[in-house]
PDB file of all heavy atoms in Angstrom:
ATOM      1  N   LYS A  42       6.861  10.221  -7.264  1.00 98.00           N
ATOM      2  CA  LYS A  42       8.287  10.104  -7.584  1.00 98.00           C
ATOM      3  C   LYS A  42       9.113  10.016  -6.302  1.00 98.00           C
ATOM      4  O   LYS A  42      10.020   9.194  -6.193  1.00 98.00           O
ATOM      5  CB  LYS A  42       8.734  11.291  -8.443  1.00 98.00           C
ATOM      6  CG  LYS A  42      10.220  11.334  -8.733  1.00 98.00           C
ATOM      7  CD  LYS A  42      10.744  10.110  -9.451  1.00 98.00           C
ATOM      8  CE  LYS A  42      10.582  10.214 -10.926  1.00 98.00           C
ATOM      9  NZ  LYS A  42      11.232   9.078 -11.621  1.00 98.00           N
ATOM     10  N   LEU A  43       8.801  10.863  -5.322  1.00 98.00           N
ATOM     11  CA  LEU A  43       9.547  10.861  -4.067  1.00 98.00           C
ATOM     12  C   LEU A  43       9.389   9.522  -3.346  1.00 98.00           C
ATOM     13  O   LEU A  43      10.372   8.950  -2.870  1.00 98.00           O
ATOM     14  CB  LEU A  43       9.094  12.018  -3.181  1.00 98.00           C
ATOM     15  CG  LEU A  43       9.857  12.221  -1.876  1.00 98.00           C
ATOM     16  CD1 LEU A  43      11.350  12.415  -2.132  1.00 98.00           C
ATOM     17  CD2 LEU A  43       9.283  13.420  -1.121  1.00 98.00           C
ATOM     18  N   VAL A  44       8.179   9.003  -3.311  1.00 98.00           N
ATOM     19  CA  VAL A  44       7.929   7.689  -2.686  1.00 98.00           C
ATOM     20  C   VAL A  44       8.743   6.617  -3.410  1.00 98.00           C
ATOM     21  O   VAL A  44       9.355   5.753  -2.784  1.00 98.00           O
ATOM     22  CB  VAL A  44       6.420   7.360  -2.683  1.00 98.00           C
ATOM     23  CG1 VAL A  44       6.166   5.897  -2.353  1.00 98.00           C
ATOM     24  CG2 VAL A  44       5.684   8.262  -1.702  1.00 98.00           C
ATOM     25  N   GLY A  45       8.779   6.678  -4.744  1.00 98.00           N
ATOM     26  CA  GLY A  45       9.542   5.708  -5.528  1.00 98.00           C
ATOM     27  C   GLY A  45      11.038   5.792  -5.271  1.00 98.00           C
ATOM     28  O   GLY A  45      11.720   4.769  -5.158  1.00 98.00           O
ATOM     29  N   LEU A  46      11.561   7.007  -5.167  1.00 98.00           N
ATOM     30  CA  LEU A  46      12.992   7.187  -4.881  1.00 98.00           C
ATOM     31  C   LEU A  46      13.349   6.636  -3.503  1.00 98.00           C
ATOM     32  O   LEU A  46      14.349   5.937  -3.345  1.00 98.00           O
ATOM     33  CB  LEU A  46      13.366   8.672  -4.960  1.00 98.00           C
ATOM     34  CG  LEU A  46      13.345   9.318  -6.338  1.00 98.00           C
ATOM     35  CD1 LEU A  46      13.446  10.839  -6.225  1.00 98.00           C
ATOM     36  CD2 LEU A  46      14.451   8.764  -7.218  1.00 98.00           C
ATOM     37  N   ILE A  47      12.517   6.946  -2.526  1.00 98.00           N
ATOM     38  CA  ILE A  47      12.763   6.469  -1.159  1.00 98.00           C
ATOM     39  C   ILE A  47      12.747   4.946  -1.120  1.00 98.00           C
ATOM     40  O   ILE A  47      13.634   4.318  -0.524  1.00 98.00           O
ATOM     41  CB  ILE A  47      11.731   7.086  -0.182  1.00 98.00           C
ATOM     42  CG1 ILE A  47      12.002   8.583  -0.027  1.00 98.00           C
ATOM     43  CG2 ILE A  47      11.768   6.381   1.167  1.00 98.00           C
ATOM     44  CD1 ILE A  47      10.893   9.355   0.685  1.00 98.00           C
ATOM     45  N   ALA A  48      11.770   4.347  -1.791  1.00 98.00           N
ATOM     46  CA  ALA A  48      11.682   2.872  -1.834  1.00 98.00           C
ATOM     47  C   ALA A  48      12.904   2.284  -2.533  1.00 98.00           C
ATOM     48  O   ALA A  48      13.479   1.290  -2.070  1.00 98.00           O
ATOM     49  CB  ALA A  48      10.399   2.445  -2.535  1.00 98.00           C
ATOM     50  N   ALA A  49      13.323   2.896  -3.645  1.00 97.00           N
ATOM     51  CA  ALA A  49      14.478   2.387  -4.394  1.00 97.00           C
ATOM     52  C   ALA A  49      15.762   2.462  -3.584  1.00 97.00           C
ATOM     53  O   ALA A  49      16.670   1.646  -3.772  1.00 97.00           O
ATOM     54  CB  ALA A  49      14.630   3.157  -5.707  1.00 97.00           C
ATOM     55  N   MET A  50      15.843   3.431  -2.666  1.00 97.00           N
ATOM     56  CA  MET A  50      17.021   3.558  -1.813  1.00 97.00           C
ATOM     57  C   MET A  50      16.925   2.663  -0.583  1.00 97.00           C
ATOM     58  O   MET A  50      17.888   2.555   0.176  1.00 97.00           O
ATOM     59  CB  MET A  50      17.222   5.021  -1.388  1.00 97.00           C
ATOM     60  CG  MET A  50      17.650   5.912  -2.535  1.00 97.00           C
ATOM     61  SD  MET A  50      18.018   7.613  -2.014  1.00 97.00           S
ATOM     62  CE  MET A  50      16.390   8.250  -1.652  1.00 97.00           C
ATOM     63  N   GLY A  51      15.760   2.052  -0.376  1.00 97.00           N
ATOM     64  CA  GLY A  51      15.580   1.164   0.770  1.00 97.00           C
ATOM     65  C   GLY A  51      15.588   1.899   2.091  1.00 97.00           C
ATOM     66  O   GLY A  51      16.093   1.392   3.091  1.00 97.00           O
ATOM     67  N   MET A  52      15.038   3.100   2.094  1.00 97.00           N
ATOM     68  CA  MET A  52      15.025   3.882   3.330  1.00 97.00           C
ATOM     69  C   MET A  52      13.609   4.354   3.633  1.00 97.00           C
ATOM     70  O   MET A  52      12.695   4.126   2.842  1.00 97.00           O
ATOM     71  CB  MET A  52      16.014   5.053   3.258  1.00 97.00           C
ATOM     72  CG  MET A  52      15.757   6.030   2.167  1.00 97.00           C
ATOM     73  SD  MET A  52      16.951   7.431   1.959  1.00 97.00           S
ATOM     74  CE  MET A  52      18.243   7.155   3.072  1.00 97.00           C
ATOM     75  N   THR A  53      13.447   4.996   4.746  1.00 97.00           N
ATOM     76  CA  THR A  53      12.165   5.564   5.130  1.00 97.00           C
ATOM     77  C   THR A  53      12.169   7.055   4.838  1.00 97.00           C
ATOM     78  O   THR A  53      13.241   7.663   4.713  1.00 97.00           O
ATOM     79  CB  THR A  53      11.910   5.365   6.635  1.00 97.00           C
ATOM     80  OG1 THR A  53      12.901   6.113   7.355  1.00 97.00           O
ATOM     81  CG2 THR A  53      11.964   3.883   7.026  1.00 97.00           C
ATOM     82  N   PRO A  54      10.989   7.662   4.752  1.00 98.00           N
ATOM     83  CA  PRO A  54      10.959   9.117   4.593  1.00 98.00           C
ATOM     84  C   PRO A  54      11.726   9.830   5.708  1.00 98.00           C
ATOM     85  O   PRO A  54      12.470  10.774   5.446  1.00 98.00           O
ATOM     86  CB  PRO A  54       9.467   9.444   4.635  1.00 98.00           C
ATOM     87  CG  PRO A  54       8.816   8.215   4.071  1.00 98.00           C
ATOM     88  CD  PRO A  54       9.642   7.075   4.629  1.00 98.00           C
ATOM     89  N   ARG A  55      11.608   9.359   6.935  1.00 97.00           N
ATOM     90  CA  ARG A  55      12.320   9.992   8.053  1.00 97.00           C
ATOM     91  C   ARG A  55      13.830   9.948   7.840  1.00 97.00           C
ATOM     92  O   ARG A  55      14.544  10.906   8.138  1.00 97.00           O
ATOM     93  CB  ARG A  55      11.947   9.327   9.374  1.00 97.00           C
ATOM     94  CG  ARG A  55      12.609   9.983  10.573  1.00 97.00           C
ATOM     95  CD  ARG A  55      12.053   9.483  11.900  1.00 97.00           C
ATOM     96  NE  ARG A  55      10.665   9.848  12.134  1.00 97.00           N
ATOM     97  CZ  ARG A  55      10.251  11.050  12.510  1.00 97.00           C
ATOM     98  NH1 ARG A  55      11.118  12.022  12.688  1.00 97.00           N
ATOM     99  NH2 ARG A  55       8.968  11.287  12.709  1.00 97.00           N
ATOM    100  N   ALA A  56      14.331   8.860   7.288  1.00 97.00           N
ATOM    101  CA  ALA A  56      15.774   8.721   7.054  1.00 97.00           C
ATOM    102  C   ALA A  56      16.269   9.691   5.980  1.00 97.00           C
ATOM    103  O   ALA A  56      17.453  10.004   5.933  1.00 97.00           O
ATOM    104  CB  ALA A  56      16.109   7.283   6.663  1.00 97.00           C
ATOM    105  N   LEU A  57      15.362  10.160   5.123  1.00 97.00           N
ATOM    106  CA  LEU A  57      15.743  11.092   4.059  1.00 97.00           C
ATOM    107  C   LEU A  57      15.616  12.551   4.494  1.00 97.00           C
ATOM    108  O   LEU A  57      16.037  13.452   3.777  1.00 97.00           O
ATOM    109  CB  LEU A  57      14.903  10.832   2.796  1.00 97.00           C
ATOM    110  CG  LEU A  57      15.296  11.584   1.539  1.00 97.00           C
ATOM    111  CD1 LEU A  57      16.725  11.228   1.097  1.00 97.00           C
ATOM    112  CD2 LEU A  57      14.318  11.317   0.411  1.00 97.00           C
ATOM    113  N   LEU A  58      15.058  12.794   5.676  1.00 97.00           N
ATOM    114  CA  LEU A  58      14.900  14.170   6.153  1.00 97.00           C
ATOM    115  C   LEU A  58      16.252  14.843   6.372  1.00 97.00           C
ATOM    116  O   LEU A  58      17.153  14.268   6.962  1.00 97.00           O
ATOM    117  CB  LEU A  58      14.148  14.189   7.482  1.00 97.00           C
ATOM    118  CG  LEU A  58      12.638  14.218   7.430  1.00 97.00           C
ATOM    119  CD1 LEU A  58      12.078  14.081   8.846  1.00 97.00           C
ATOM    120  CD2 LEU A  58      12.102  15.467   6.764  1.00 97.00           C
ATOM    121  N   ARG A  59      16.345  16.065   5.904  1.00 96.00           N
ATOM    122  CA  ARG A  59      17.531  16.878   6.160  1.00 96.00           C
ATOM    123  C   ARG A  59      17.207  17.817   7.307  1.00 96.00           C
ATOM    124  O   ARG A  59      16.161  18.461   7.314  1.00 96.00           O
ATOM    125  CB  ARG A  59      17.905  17.668   4.907  1.00 96.00           C
ATOM    126  CG  ARG A  59      19.124  18.543   5.120  1.00 96.00           C
ATOM    127  CD  ARG A  59      19.671  19.065   3.811  1.00 96.00           C
ATOM    128  NE  ARG A  59      20.768  19.973   4.047  1.00 96.00           N
ATOM    129  CZ  ARG A  59      22.020  19.608   4.301  1.00 96.00           C
ATOM    130  NH1 ARG A  59      22.323  18.342   4.353  1.00 96.00           N
ATOM    131  NH2 ARG A  59      22.962  20.508   4.501  1.00 96.00           N
ATOM    132  N   GLU A  60      18.104  17.901   8.273  1.00 95.00           N
ATOM    133  CA  GLU A  60      17.881  18.756   9.444  1.00 95.00           C
ATOM    134  C   GLU A  60      18.558  20.111   9.304  1.00 95.00           C
ATOM    135  O   GLU A  60      17.945  21.147   9.521  1.00 95.00           O
ATOM    136  CB  GLU A  60      18.401  18.057  10.707  1.00 95.00           C
ATOM    137  CG  GLU A  60      17.644  16.795  11.041  1.00 95.00           C
ATOM    138  CD  GLU A  60      18.162  16.108  12.293  1.00 95.00           C
ATOM    139  OE1 GLU A  60      18.589  16.817  13.229  1.00 95.00           O
ATOM    140  OE2 GLU A  60      18.153  14.870  12.319  1.00 95.00           O
ATOM    141  N   LYS A  61      19.829  20.117   8.935  1.00 94.00           N
ATOM    142  CA  LYS A  61      20.638  21.341   8.896  1.00 94.00           C
ATOM    143  C   LYS A  61      20.135  22.304   7.808  1.00 94.00           C
ATOM    144  O   LYS A  61      19.927  21.907   6.660  1.00 94.00           O
ATOM    145  CB  LYS A  61      22.097  20.952   8.631  1.00 94.00           C
ATOM    146  CG  LYS A  61      23.066  22.091   8.662  1.00 94.00           C
ATOM    147  CD  LYS A  61      24.479  21.581   8.429  1.00 94.00           C
ATOM    148  CE  LYS A  61      25.441  22.719   8.211  1.00 94.00           C
ATOM    149  NZ  LYS A  61      26.732  22.247   7.762  1.00 94.00           N
TER     150      LYS A  61
END
Side-chain angles (χ1 to χ4, degrees):
K42 175 59 85 174
L43 185 57
V44 167
L46 291 168
I47 291 168
M50 290 185 288
M52 60 183 6
T53 65
R55 183 170 294 283
L57 188 61
L58 273 174
R59 179 167 176 81
E60 295 180 35
K61 184 178 170 190

